[in-house]
Amino acid sequence: MDKITGEKGKIPLYLLGGFLGSGKTSLLNSILSFFEGQNVGVIINEFGDLNIDARLIPHDSGINISELNGGQIFCSCLSGSFIKSIAAYKDHNIQLLIVEASGLAKPAPLKEIIDLAGKTSDHFFEYRGMIGVVDAQRFETLDKSLKTLGEQLTYSDRILINKIDLVDDKTIERIMKRVNELNPHARISTTSFGRIEKSFLETVDHSDERVAKMDSRKWAGWGEAGRPKPISLIPGGPVSEEKLKAFLAEVASESFRIKGFLASMEGNIVKVDCTGSNISIEKNTEKDPSLKTGLVLLIPGESELPDRLVSIWESTAGTKVQLNL
Amino acid sequence: MTGKERILAVLDGKVTDRTPWLPFAGIHAGKLKGYTAKEVSTDLVKLVESLKEVNKLYRPDGQPIMFDLQIEAEILGCELVWSEDAPPTVSTHPLSETSDIPNHIPGPDEGRLPLEIEAMKQMKEAVGETTALYGLICGPFTLASHLRGTNIFMDMMLDPDYVHKLLDYATDVSIAIAGYFIDAGMDVIAAVDPLVSQISPDHFKEFMNAPFGRLFDSIRNKGAKSSFFVCGNATMNIGPMCETKPDSISIDENVSLADAKKVTDEYGVVIGGNIPLTSVMLFGNQQDNMKATVDLIDSLDNLEGVIIAPGCDMPYDIPVENAIAIEQAVHETEVTREMVKNYESGDLEFTGTLPDYENLKKPLMEVFTLDSATCAACTYMMATANDAGNHFGDKIDVVEYKYTTTENIARCGVMGVKQLPSIYINGELKHSSLIPAREVLIKEIEAYL
């Protein structure tokens, strides 16, 4: 990480964005591991997310962490505190300054804040760019409800799609496509557990001219897929857990959510809860005589899955089933 | 018209004599009295003292009592982190691990509500005849997210029924709090909901339309006015927001006031906003603030149905003189436009002579004002100076320089006067923005005799 020292002794400053739980901590820990023995400043903006791995911070380490009490910055009324936190590092002898921005932080004001912070602190730092961390598991869902997700990616100079171990290849492909759509300029890579190579920071390449702007007017939230709709499946009789797994494996990736209770051939009631391709089948421990069995699938509004659902069920689970739209 | 009449007239769609000014001095109020953000958020006496000072110096047409979106959340189980110069923030979310919907509706005796309600009553008595008082509540979506955490964005897609139920509950809370504030005499209830700027119009219609509609209906039925305040870039949601029928909407600097006004004008909703908080109010000087305000006003097609306000809750450290400058610019736009034109003209030359401060026969008190006839703070500064002047009679000289002439603008430049109003004695800056006590000023002058 020697190559990243700033021009004329200016401290390199990176912004780190991404939704809560996307892996910013892991990424940060990876970066810090390459700076052992050196002085690094970190400004935390999001509660409950950043948990700097204490093992990576030896006693006399120069890792200086300041927590920004302003919490999630997406309102300009908190910018002053943000700027003050950055300026506070002016006379510290640090090699690197990383500022974590919450997943709800609007990038354009963020950039303005960085500029103002520079102006009010004699430009002691050099802004190197924004790193965006994407949670592969939740991205597609969050992208539909949270506008800032896409906006941050549009402003990012380097994008890391994290948690790829938790999703299938088709999902990764879709996410790469969507991220590329949002930001054709940034270098995108994939990883798990926030693991990166030593030269990672050098690959963050910012240019004021290249900053794309997300066309907010085009952002329609639900998107082309339309408002999600629930459909319910009521099996004619108990189903084997193995065959149920096979059914879920086929349809889960096309659904936002699958929930419900089913009678299994093994004599139990099982609780099904799938989020995207994350499948969960558990024995139901609650004894509730009024429990209704059946599955509810929440699928994209424009999905054609309902047309195929009965035949998929019959060929995998092997029983009759009733479909309610 | 009094400030209160002005605000109520604009909210009723009537013509006003001047554009109303609504400074969102939440924790910033404390700065005027040397109190920290935490002190004015928790101490009734300090809060009311600060609010009265805001009323005196900034001469607001409308004034909020507190700007703290965490009051409800705190009562409902969220832990707060306090700050010396910012409102507290929520750090824990009691509903993050459960899908149960609570049923606790805060009573007026819980948490910091007694403090807030009592402050409302005292301010009502002190300035309620002339200033429209705003009671701010945390909007239901932001309240729901305080309780649930940011998982709510996942919930919106994966468990929409749950979100509907949670929002219903949060709306019940908002309605109850609004009721207490109306009973305490608030003229306008503002629902502040920053998270609304994070979602799409589709999601707004799906989740927010009914709750906010219900909230504003309730406020209207109780005889008060309402405001829907969303900070962040809420451009796409302005129309949907108007459809929930608030009397007014407030936006921040991320939205173009002129563009938003085109939408709100169609709905007959008043628009408020949106002076930039950081680049102008916090880090700009008085001239920047006057210019930004004049430019903002000039960017609009017309001045009907508009209230000029900061983009959001004023940062604690905003220099007092900046807010003073904005008040001047809003209430005396023509005069201020001239001032801006003059100081920007670039060819200002001071053709007078500065006093020979080293060799004065008598102490000289120079009062630099925007205009003591119109700018509230300037009026008070001049009054205090004249009062001290009268005390000493012939023994001292007192002079006012108003920023309304090019000569005086040039004088300020030459003397390095950075804040108006300010008092200089024998060429030395003694006080700026904040009005000194009579005794303090008299003592200072005595030192020169």
Side-chain angles (χ1 to χ4, degrees), chain A residues 133-159:
Chain A
V133 181
V134 173
D135 181 341
Q137 201 180 24
R138 293 183 301 166
F139 175 73
E140 293 184 297
T141 304
L142 284 171
D143 189 31
K144 295 195 158 39
S145 50
L146 185 57
K147 188 164 48 132
T148 328
L149 216 71
E151 287 175 348
Q152 279 195 0
L153 290 174
T154 312
Y155 270 80
S156 295
D157 300 292
R158 180 73 168 87
I159 296 171

PDB file of all heavy atoms in Angstrom, chain A residues 133-159:
ATOM      1  N   VAL A 133     -19.838  -0.634  -1.491  1.00  0.00           N
ATOM      2  CA  VAL A 133     -19.930  -2.068  -1.185  1.00  0.00           C
ATOM      3  C   VAL A 133     -21.360  -2.522  -1.418  1.00  0.00           C
ATOM      4  O   VAL A 133     -22.312  -1.903  -0.929  1.00  0.00           O
ATOM      5  CB  VAL A 133     -19.530  -2.348   0.277  1.00  0.00           C
ATOM      6  CG1 VAL A 133     -19.598  -3.845   0.570  1.00  0.00           C
ATOM      7  CG2 VAL A 133     -18.126  -1.820   0.551  1.00  0.00           C
ATOM      8  N   VAL A 134     -21.518  -3.587  -2.180  1.00  0.00           N
ATOM      9  CA  VAL A 134     -22.844  -4.107  -2.521  1.00  0.00           C
ATOM     10  C   VAL A 134     -23.082  -5.435  -1.817  1.00  0.00           C
ATOM     11  O   VAL A 134     -22.229  -6.316  -1.844  1.00  0.00           O
ATOM     12  CB  VAL A 134     -22.952  -4.317  -4.057  1.00  0.00           C
ATOM     13  CG1 VAL A 134     -24.255  -5.009  -4.424  1.00  0.00           C
ATOM     14  CG2 VAL A 134     -22.830  -2.972  -4.772  1.00  0.00           C
ATOM     15  N   ASP A 135     -24.215  -5.559  -1.192  1.00  0.00           N
ATOM     16  CA  ASP A 135     -24.605  -6.807  -0.524  1.00  0.00           C
ATOM     17  C   ASP A 135     -25.313  -7.685  -1.545  1.00  0.00           C
ATOM     18  O   ASP A 135     -26.484  -7.458  -1.856  1.00  0.00           O
ATOM     19  CB  ASP A 135     -25.538  -6.465   0.646  1.00  0.00           C
ATOM     20  CG  ASP A 135     -26.000  -7.681   1.424  1.00  0.00           C
ATOM     21  OD1 ASP A 135     -25.926  -8.823   0.900  1.00  0.00           O
ATOM     22  OD2 ASP A 135     -26.465  -7.495   2.569  1.00  0.00           O
ATOM     23  N   ALA A 136     -24.605  -8.668  -2.092  1.00  0.00           N
ATOM     24  CA  ALA A 136     -25.177  -9.480  -3.173  1.00  0.00           C
ATOM     25  C   ALA A 136     -26.481 -10.145  -2.759  1.00  0.00           C
ATOM     26  O   ALA A 136     -27.377 -10.348  -3.563  1.00  0.00           O
ATOM     27  CB  ALA A 136     -24.164 -10.535  -3.616  1.00  0.00           C
ATOM     28  N   GLN A 137     -26.594 -10.425  -1.476  1.00  0.00           N
ATOM     29  CA  GLN A 137     -27.777 -11.144  -1.025  1.00  0.00           C
ATOM     30  C   GLN A 137     -29.027 -10.278  -1.027  1.00  0.00           C
ATOM     31  O   GLN A 137     -30.124 -10.729  -1.312  1.00  0.00           O
ATOM     32  CB  GLN A 137     -27.519 -11.657   0.386  1.00  0.00           C
ATOM     33  CG  GLN A 137     -28.385 -12.799   0.784  1.00  0.00           C
ATOM     34  CD  GLN A 137     -28.081 -13.272   2.183  1.00  0.00           C
ATOM     35  OE1 GLN A 137     -27.571 -12.534   3.015  1.00  0.00           O
ATOM     36  NE2 GLN A 137     -28.408 -14.493   2.469  1.00  0.00           N
ATOM     37  N   ARG A 138     -28.856  -9.003  -0.706  1.00  0.00           N
ATOM     38  CA  ARG A 138     -30.032  -8.168  -0.529  1.00  0.00           C
ATOM     39  C   ARG A 138     -30.155  -7.058  -1.576  1.00  0.00           C
ATOM     40  O   ARG A 138     -31.164  -6.349  -1.615  1.00  0.00           O
ATOM     41  CB  ARG A 138     -30.014  -7.533   0.853  1.00  0.00           C
ATOM     42  CG  ARG A 138     -30.169  -8.553   1.968  1.00  0.00           C
ATOM     43  CD  ARG A 138     -30.221  -7.895   3.319  1.00  0.00           C
ATOM     44  NE  ARG A 138     -29.023  -7.123   3.589  1.00  0.00           N
ATOM     45  CZ  ARG A 138     -28.914  -6.240   4.568  1.00  0.00           C
ATOM     46  NH1 ARG A 138     -29.938  -6.009   5.349  1.00  0.00           N
ATOM     47  NH2 ARG A 138     -27.792  -5.583   4.762  1.00  0.00           N
ATOM     48  N   PHE A 139     -29.138  -6.932  -2.423  1.00  0.00           N
ATOM     49  CA  PHE A 139     -29.104  -5.800  -3.332  1.00  0.00           C
ATOM     50  C   PHE A 139     -30.370  -5.646  -4.172  1.00  0.00           C
ATOM     51  O   PHE A 139     -30.950  -4.569  -4.255  1.00  0.00           O
ATOM     52  CB  PHE A 139     -27.893  -5.909  -4.262  1.00  0.00           C
ATOM     53  CG  PHE A 139     -27.857  -4.830  -5.321  1.00  0.00           C
ATOM     54  CD1 PHE A 139     -27.538  -3.529  -4.975  1.00  0.00           C
ATOM     55  CD2 PHE A 139     -28.181  -5.110  -6.638  1.00  0.00           C
ATOM     56  CE1 PHE A 139     -27.515  -2.525  -5.933  1.00  0.00           C
ATOM     57  CE2 PHE A 139     -28.166  -4.102  -7.601  1.00  0.00           C
ATOM     58  CZ  PHE A 139     -27.830  -2.808  -7.251  1.00  0.00           C
ATOM     59  N   GLU A 140     -30.785  -6.748  -4.816  1.00  0.00           N
ATOM     60  CA  GLU A 140     -31.894  -6.610  -5.760  1.00  0.00           C
ATOM     61  C   GLU A 140     -33.175  -6.158  -5.067  1.00  0.00           C
ATOM     62  O   GLU A 140     -33.954  -5.398  -5.636  1.00  0.00           O
ATOM     63  CB  GLU A 140     -32.112  -7.926  -6.512  1.00  0.00           C
ATOM     64  CG  GLU A 140     -30.930  -8.243  -7.422  1.00  0.00           C
ATOM     65  CD  GLU A 140     -31.162  -9.483  -8.250  1.00  0.00           C
ATOM     66  OE1 GLU A 140     -31.298 -10.578  -7.662  1.00  0.00           O
ATOM     67  OE2 GLU A 140     -31.209  -9.357  -9.473  1.00  0.00           O
ATOM     68  N   THR A 141     -33.361  -6.618  -3.841  1.00  0.00           N
ATOM     69  CA  THR A 141     -34.537  -6.207  -3.087  1.00  0.00           C
ATOM     70  C   THR A 141     -34.427  -4.749  -2.666  1.00  0.00           C
ATOM     71  O   THR A 141     -35.327  -3.948  -2.900  1.00  0.00           O
ATOM     72  CB  THR A 141     -34.704  -7.086  -1.834  1.00  0.00           C
ATOM     73  OG1 THR A 141     -34.750  -8.457  -2.239  1.00  0.00           O
ATOM     74  CG2 THR A 141     -35.966  -6.738  -1.093  1.00  0.00           C
ATOM     75  N   LEU A 142     -33.304  -4.392  -2.066  1.00  0.00           N
ATOM     76  CA  LEU A 142     -33.115  -3.030  -1.585  1.00  0.00           C
ATOM     77  C   LEU A 142     -33.155  -2.025  -2.724  1.00  0.00           C
ATOM     78  O   LEU A 142     -33.633  -0.904  -2.565  1.00  0.00           O
ATOM     79  CB  LEU A 142     -31.771  -2.907  -0.868  1.00  0.00           C
ATOM     80  CG  LEU A 142     -31.722  -3.497   0.528  1.00  0.00           C
ATOM     81  CD1 LEU A 142     -30.296  -3.501   1.037  1.00  0.00           C
ATOM     82  CD2 LEU A 142     -32.608  -2.699   1.473  1.00  0.00           C
ATOM     83  N   ASP A 143     -32.648  -2.428  -3.878  1.00  0.00           N
ATOM     84  CA  ASP A 143     -32.600  -1.526  -5.028  1.00  0.00           C
ATOM     85  C   ASP A 143     -33.994  -1.057  -5.403  1.00  0.00           C
ATOM     86  O   ASP A 143     -34.169   0.018  -5.966  1.00  0.00           O
ATOM     87  CB  ASP A 143     -31.952  -2.281  -6.200  1.00  0.00           C
ATOM     88  CG  ASP A 143     -31.647  -1.387  -7.379  1.00  0.00           C
ATOM     89  OD1 ASP A 143     -31.361  -0.199  -7.164  1.00  0.00           O
ATOM     90  OD2 ASP A 143     -31.696  -1.880  -8.515  1.00  0.00           O
ATOM     91  N   LYS A 144     -34.984  -1.846  -5.063  1.00  0.00           N
ATOM     92  CA  LYS A 144     -36.351  -1.466  -5.421  1.00  0.00           C
ATOM     93  C   LYS A 144     -36.956  -0.494  -4.422  1.00  0.00           C
ATOM     94  O   LYS A 144     -37.873   0.246  -4.750  1.00  0.00           O
ATOM     95  CB  LYS A 144     -37.229  -2.710  -5.522  1.00  0.00           C
ATOM     96  CG  LYS A 144     -36.779  -3.601  -6.656  1.00  0.00           C
ATOM     97  CD  LYS A 144     -37.803  -4.626  -6.999  1.00  0.00           C
ATOM     98  CE  LYS A 144     -37.624  -5.162  -8.411  1.00  0.00           C
ATOM     99  NZ  LYS A 144     -36.238  -5.353  -8.832  1.00  0.00           N
ATOM    100  N   SER A 145     -36.491  -0.534  -3.200  1.00  0.00           N
ATOM    101  CA  SER A 145     -37.122   0.346  -2.228  1.00  0.00           C
ATOM    102  C   SER A 145     -36.271   1.551  -1.845  1.00  0.00           C
ATOM    103  O   SER A 145     -36.810   2.585  -1.465  1.00  0.00           O
ATOM    104  CB  SER A 145     -37.523  -0.427  -0.964  1.00  0.00           C
ATOM    105  OG  SER A 145     -36.433  -1.189  -0.499  1.00  0.00           O
ATOM    106  N   LEU A 146     -34.974   1.441  -1.973  1.00  0.00           N
ATOM    107  CA  LEU A 146     -34.100   2.498  -1.491  1.00  0.00           C
ATOM    108  C   LEU A 146     -33.358   3.166  -2.645  1.00  0.00           C
ATOM    109  O   LEU A 146     -32.451   2.594  -3.243  1.00  0.00           O
ATOM    110  CB  LEU A 146     -33.093   1.905  -0.490  1.00  0.00           C
ATOM    111  CG  LEU A 146     -32.171   2.868   0.227  1.00  0.00           C
ATOM    112  CD1 LEU A 146     -32.962   3.911   0.983  1.00  0.00           C
ATOM    113  CD2 LEU A 146     -31.283   2.103   1.190  1.00  0.00           C
ATOM    114  N   LYS A 147     -33.742   4.397  -2.921  1.00  0.00           N
ATOM    115  CA  LYS A 147     -33.186   5.130  -4.063  1.00  0.00           C
ATOM    116  C   LYS A 147     -31.688   5.366  -3.915  1.00  0.00           C
ATOM    117  O   LYS A 147     -30.936   5.311  -4.880  1.00  0.00           O
ATOM    118  CB  LYS A 147     -33.927   6.471  -4.179  1.00  0.00           C
ATOM    119  CG  LYS A 147     -33.586   7.245  -5.421  1.00  0.00           C
ATOM    120  CD  LYS A 147     -34.601   8.347  -5.700  1.00  0.00           C
ATOM    121  CE  LYS A 147     -34.937   9.211  -4.518  1.00  0.00           C
ATOM    122  NZ  LYS A 147     -34.887  10.641  -4.832  1.00  0.00           N
ATOM    123  N   THR A 148     -31.261   5.656  -2.689  1.00  0.00           N
ATOM    124  CA  THR A 148     -29.867   6.033  -2.487  1.00  0.00           C
ATOM    125  C   THR A 148     -28.899   4.925  -2.857  1.00  0.00           C
ATOM    126  O   THR A 148     -27.750   5.198  -3.176  1.00  0.00           O
ATOM    127  CB  THR A 148     -29.618   6.382  -1.008  1.00  0.00           C
ATOM    128  OG1 THR A 148     -30.790   6.947  -0.473  1.00  0.00           O
ATOM    129  CG2 THR A 148     -28.490   7.361  -0.876  1.00  0.00           C
ATOM    130  N   LEU A 149     -29.372   3.699  -2.810  1.00  0.00           N
ATOM    131  CA  LEU A 149     -28.506   2.574  -3.151  1.00  0.00           C
ATOM    132  C   LEU A 149     -27.921   2.777  -4.534  1.00  0.00           C
ATOM    133  O   LEU A 149     -26.709   2.724  -4.751  1.00  0.00           O
ATOM    134  CB  LEU A 149     -29.325   1.286  -3.118  1.00  0.00           C
ATOM    135  CG  LEU A 149     -28.608   0.066  -2.604  1.00  0.00           C
ATOM    136  CD1 LEU A 149     -28.382   0.168  -1.117  1.00  0.00           C
ATOM    137  CD2 LEU A 149     -29.411  -1.181  -2.919  1.00  0.00           C
ATOM    138  N   GLY A 150     -28.802   3.023  -5.491  1.00  0.00           N
ATOM    139  CA  GLY A 150     -28.360   3.233  -6.868  1.00  0.00           C
ATOM    140  C   GLY A 150     -27.575   4.519  -7.008  1.00  0.00           C
ATOM    141  O   GLY A 150     -26.581   4.573  -7.735  1.00  0.00           O
ATOM    142  N   GLU A 151     -27.994   5.556  -6.289  1.00  0.00           N
ATOM    143  CA  GLU A 151     -27.298   6.832  -6.386  1.00  0.00           C
ATOM    144  C   GLU A 151     -25.861   6.720  -5.920  1.00  0.00           C
ATOM    145  O   GLU A 151     -24.937   7.246  -6.545  1.00  0.00           O
ATOM    146  CB  GLU A 151     -28.030   7.891  -5.563  1.00  0.00           C
ATOM    147  CG  GLU A 151     -29.320   8.333  -6.198  1.00  0.00           C
ATOM    148  CD  GLU A 151     -30.111   9.299  -5.325  1.00  0.00           C
ATOM    149  OE1 GLU A 151     -29.778   9.458  -4.139  1.00  0.00           O
ATOM    150  OE2 GLU A 151     -31.068   9.879  -5.843  1.00  0.00           O
ATOM    151  N   GLN A 152     -25.667   6.028  -4.793  1.00  0.00           N
ATOM    152  CA  GLN A 152     -24.300   5.870  -4.280  1.00  0.00           C
ATOM    153  C   GLN A 152     -23.430   5.122  -5.280  1.00  0.00           C
ATOM    154  O   GLN A 152     -22.271   5.464  -5.499  1.00  0.00           O
ATOM    155  CB  GLN A 152     -24.308   5.117  -2.951  1.00  0.00           C
ATOM    156  CG  GLN A 152     -24.632   5.989  -1.775  1.00  0.00           C
ATOM    157  CD  GLN A 152     -24.276   5.329  -0.453  1.00  0.00           C
ATOM    158  OE1 GLN A 152     -23.787   4.214  -0.396  1.00  0.00           O
ATOM    159  NE2 GLN A 152     -24.527   6.047   0.637  1.00  0.00           N
ATOM    160  N   LEU A 153     -24.020   4.103  -5.911  1.00  0.00           N
ATOM    161  CA  LEU A 153     -23.231   3.324  -6.866  1.00  0.00           C
ATOM    162  C   LEU A 153     -22.876   4.170  -8.079  1.00  0.00           C
ATOM    163  O   LEU A 153     -21.791   4.059  -8.643  1.00  0.00           O
ATOM    164  CB  LEU A 153     -23.984   2.060  -7.277  1.00  0.00           C
ATOM    165  CG  LEU A 153     -24.084   1.037  -6.149  1.00  0.00           C
ATOM    166  CD1 LEU A 153     -24.974  -0.131  -6.552  1.00  0.00           C
ATOM    167  CD2 LEU A 153     -22.708   0.528  -5.756  1.00  0.00           C
ATOM    168  N   THR A 154     -23.787   5.057  -8.467  1.00  0.00           N
ATOM    169  CA  THR A 154     -23.518   5.935  -9.600  1.00  0.00           C
ATOM    170  C   THR A 154     -22.319   6.832  -9.310  1.00  0.00           C
ATOM    171  O   THR A 154     -21.544   7.161 -10.193  1.00  0.00           O
ATOM    172  CB  THR A 154     -24.747   6.807  -9.898  1.00  0.00           C
ATOM    173  OG1 THR A 154     -25.901   5.995  -9.922  1.00  0.00           O
ATOM    174  CG2 THR A 154     -24.611   7.508 -11.218  1.00  0.00           C
ATOM    175  N   TYR A 155     -22.160   7.230  -8.055  1.00  0.00           N
ATOM    176  CA  TYR A 155     -21.077   8.114  -7.671  1.00  0.00           C
ATOM    177  C   TYR A 155     -19.795   7.381  -7.299  1.00  0.00           C
ATOM    178  O   TYR A 155     -18.754   8.000  -7.142  1.00  0.00           O
ATOM    179  CB  TYR A 155     -21.497   8.963  -6.463  1.00  0.00           C
ATOM    180  CG  TYR A 155     -22.138  10.255  -6.869  1.00  0.00           C
ATOM    181  CD1 TYR A 155     -23.460  10.294  -7.260  1.00  0.00           C
ATOM    182  CD2 TYR A 155     -21.415  11.430  -6.869  1.00  0.00           C
ATOM    183  CE1 TYR A 155     -24.041  11.485  -7.648  1.00  0.00           C
ATOM    184  CE2 TYR A 155     -21.995  12.626  -7.240  1.00  0.00           C
ATOM    185  CZ  TYR A 155     -23.312  12.644  -7.631  1.00  0.00           C
ATOM    186  OH  TYR A 155     -23.895  13.814  -8.000  1.00  0.00           O
ATOM    187  N   SER A 156     -19.891   6.061  -7.137  1.00  0.00           N
ATOM    188  CA  SER A 156     -18.713   5.330  -6.655  1.00  0.00           C
ATOM    189  C   SER A 156     -17.650   5.229  -7.736  1.00  0.00           C
ATOM    190  O   SER A 156     -17.940   5.181  -8.924  1.00  0.00           O
ATOM    191  CB  SER A 156     -19.119   3.930  -6.203  1.00  0.00           C
ATOM    192  OG  SER A 156     -19.963   4.007  -5.091  1.00  0.00           O
ATOM    193  N   ASP A 157     -16.410   5.205  -7.296  1.00  0.00           N
ATOM    194  CA  ASP A 157     -15.298   5.067  -8.233  1.00  0.00           C
ATOM    195  C   ASP A 157     -14.795   3.634  -8.289  1.00  0.00           C
ATOM    196  O   ASP A 157     -14.065   3.240  -9.193  1.00  0.00           O
ATOM    197  CB  ASP A 157     -14.147   5.993  -7.795  1.00  0.00           C
ATOM    198  CG  ASP A 157     -14.593   7.438  -7.768  1.00  0.00           C
ATOM    199  OD1 ASP A 157     -14.851   7.982  -8.850  1.00  0.00           O
ATOM    200  OD2 ASP A 157     -14.703   8.002  -6.663  1.00  0.00           O
ATOM    201  N   ARG A 158     -15.209   2.865  -7.293  1.00  0.00           N
ATOM    202  CA  ARG A 158     -14.760   1.476  -7.230  1.00  0.00           C
ATOM    203  C   ARG A 158     -15.866   0.717  -6.530  1.00  0.00           C
ATOM    204  O   ARG A 158     -16.336   1.143  -5.490  1.00  0.00           O
ATOM    205  CB  ARG A 158     -13.456   1.403  -6.420  1.00  0.00           C
ATOM    206  CG  ARG A 158     -12.869   0.022  -6.261  1.00  0.00           C
ATOM    207  CD  ARG A 158     -12.257  -0.440  -7.554  1.00  0.00           C
ATOM    208  NE  ARG A 158     -11.450  -1.628  -7.362  1.00  0.00           N
ATOM    209  CZ  ARG A 158     -11.925  -2.861  -7.408  1.00  0.00           C
ATOM    210  NH1 ARG A 158     -13.209  -3.064  -7.607  1.00  0.00           N
ATOM    211  NH2 ARG A 158     -11.106  -3.886  -7.233  1.00  0.00           N
ATOM    212  N   ILE A 159     -16.303  -0.385  -7.121  1.00  0.00           N
ATOM    213  CA  ILE A 159     -17.434  -1.097  -6.539  1.00  0.00           C
ATOM    214  C   ILE A 159     -17.058  -2.537  -6.221  1.00  0.00           C
ATOM    215  O   ILE A 159     -16.438  -3.225  -7.041  1.00  0.00           O
ATOM    216  CB  ILE A 159     -18.638  -1.043  -7.506  1.00  0.00           C
ATOM    217  CG1 ILE A 159     -19.096   0.411  -7.679  1.00  0.00           C
ATOM    218  CG2 ILE A 159     -19.795  -1.898  -6.984  1.00  0.00           C
ATOM    219  CD1 ILE A 159     -20.113   0.626  -8.764  1.00  0.00           C
TER     220      ILE A 159
END
